[in-house]
Amino acid sequence: MAFEGEVWHVRRARDTGESGAQPEEIGEILIDDADFPWLSGRFRAGPAYGAVHDLFARELALAEGDDAERGKRWEAAYAEIERRVRLVSPDGPVAAFLLHIRGDRAWFRWSDESSGPARPEG
């Protein structure tokens, strides 16, 4: 599986209940490292990134802790990401994903089958 050089898109979910016309493109990830199951690459923010920037920052801060209370707060934060964000491969949307964004870097894993959140690695 050659992933390097692919462009994956991070898009706003269409069923969030937010009113008005909102930009759809949160950003794109140019894959430059594939350590399966994790892919990582350069993140280029799109027009909708500002609406989720703080959510990704909070999720990552919570993911870096290891106490039980922080784990519960991480699950709530990541559930909000799953509600508001879609990850789209070159072949189309993926069913489930774990995505982190920090600055101009993003790293993620995905599955073609939906599943509940798992404690993040990496």
Side-chain angles (χ1 to χ4, degrees):
M1 291 184 188
F3 296 102
E4 291 183 31
E6 290 184 349
V7 175
W8 288 55
H9 294 270
V10 183
R11 296 199 172 125
R12 179 185 299 271
R14 295 182 184 198
D15 57 350
T16 62
E18 296 174 12
S19 62
Q22 302 285 331
E24 187 174 304
E25 191 73 15
I26 291 171
E28 65 181 28
I29 305 165
L30 174 60
I31 305 302
D32 59 22
D33 187 32
D35 186 11
F36 196 79
W38 289 94
L39 300 182
S40 63
R42 184 169 190 81
F43 177 74
R44 186 170 65 192
Y49 182 59
V52 294
H53 172 271
D54 291 345
L55 182 58
F56 276 101
R58 183 171 68 239
E59 177 275 330
L60 195 53
L62 291 168
E64 292 171 344
D66 62 2
D67 60 88
E69 181 59 33
R70 190 175 282 214
K72 289 177 186 177
R73 292 186 354 238
W74 174 84
E75 287 179 7
Y78 204 80
E80 184 65 10
I81 289 173
E82 289 178 321
R83 187 182 78 78
R84 296 175 59 184
V85 173
R86 297 294 173 260
L87 183 62
V88 181
S89 78
D91 296 326
V94 300
F97 60 92
L98 177 58
L99 169 65
H100 305 292
I101 299 172
R102 177 182 284 147
D104 69 348
R105 298 296 300 170
W107 60 104
F108 63 93
R109 56 191 295 170
W110 88 100
S111 173
D112 289 329
E113 296 179 13
S114 184
S115 65
R119 186 75 179 130
E121 300 169 14

